[in-house]
Amino acid sequence: LFSWFAPPRRTRYEPLQMLRHTPHSHAAVNENFVYVGQGGYFFSPYEASRSGKLFNLFTQYLEGSLFDWQFGDILPSCTAGDVRFSYEVQDPTVVSVLGQVDKRNANHLTIIPRTLNGIGDRKAATIGLVHAGANSAEGMLIAEDQDSKNQAQIVRLLILLWSIPASRLAGLSLGREISDSSAVVQAEGVLGLFLTLLSATWLAIWNESTGSRETAMAFAMGATFTYLALKSASKSSRGGRANAVWCRVLRWANAPPEWRVEDSHIPAPIPKVGPSAGKQS
C-alpha cells in the first residue's frame, strides 16, 4: 500500500571493490579526496594557507567574533572551503568513445586516451572522450571545443569584472585617481589591466611557442591602454600611496573611520595671527 503513494526507489548499489583504485587516483593524490561512505560522498577537507588563516583571524577581529567561542566550535564539522560531492548515475544505452585500443592487454578490450603529436608550434596532446549517444568523432571534438570556449569566456568575464576595482587600486598605488577621471580614462585603465593579465596568463599556460602573436598583441595593447590611463588620469592628493590603497580598501569594506585616516583628511596647522606674525611680514 505504501508503494502506491511513495515514488519507487531506484537506488543502485555497486560493490566497493570498484573503488579499490581510488586512493591512487589523481583526485586522491593531488586534491586529498577520500571516500567517506556516508551516502556515497567523496570528501576533501580545506587546508588554508598561513596567509589565509591570518586573514581569517583578521576579519574575525574586525567583526568582533574572534573570541566568541561556542560549544559547536569544538565538535568536528564542515568548514568553509570543504568540498563534498556524490554521483548520480544514469547509464546511457549508447555511448561514443574517442581514443585508441590498448594493445598491451590482449585478454580484455581496453580503450585509453590517444596521443596526438603536435604539428608546427602546437604541443602534443592526448584525447580521451566519452559522450552519451551515437556521435561522430568530429561532432565530439566540436562539442568539446564549444565547451572549452564557453568556459574561457566565463573566466575572461570574471577577470574583466575583477579589473574594475583592481585598476583603481593600481592607479592609487602609482599616484593617480582613476575613479575621479573621465569614463574614457577608467575604461582605458580597466582594459589595460585586463589585457596585461590575460596575456600573462596565456604566456604562463602556452609559453612563447603557441599563440605568440596573439599574446604579444594583447600585451602591447594592455601596456598602451595602461600608459594612456596613467597619463590622462588626475593626480591623487591623498598623500602616501600605500596608505591611500589601504584606506580605499577599508572604505569599500565599510571599516570604522579611525582605521582609515588619510593624509588628505588631516587638517593643516593654522598659522598664528598676531603682532609677531605682522613683524615677520
Side-chain angles (χ1 to χ4, degrees), residues 8-85:
R9 297 188 62 181
R10 303 183 183 276
T11 304
R12 187 184 68 190
Y13 295 93
E14 300 287 351
L16 292 178
Q17 288 79 4
M18 299 181 63
L19 300 177
R20 61 182 181 275
H21 300 297
T22 301
H24 307 288
S25 63
H26 175 81
V29 175
N30 297 329
E31 304 296 338
N32 298 325
F33 274 100
V34 294
Y35 178 70
V36 295
Q38 299 177 357
Y41 280 97
F42 293 85
F43 177 74
S44 174
Y46 174 70
E47 296 181 1
S49 59
R50 181 178 301 176
S51 58
K53 293 179 180 178
L54 293 177
F55 181 76
N56 188 21
L57 294 176
F58 176 71
T59 54
Q60 291 180 5
Y61 174 76
L62 289 180
E63 65 182 7
S65 61
L66 180 60
F67 301 102
D68 186 12
W69 292 94
Q70 299 179 2
F71 180 74
D73 298 333
I74 305 176
L75 301 177
S77 61
C78 294
T79 58
D82 293 345
V83 180
R84 187 181 65 170
F85 67 93

Side-chain angles (χ1 to χ4, degrees), residues 184-199:
V184 176
V185 175
Q186 295 183 27
E188 289 175 348
V190 173
L191 290 177
L193 182 60
F194 169 71
L195 292 175
T196 302
L197 183 59
L198 187 64
S199 60

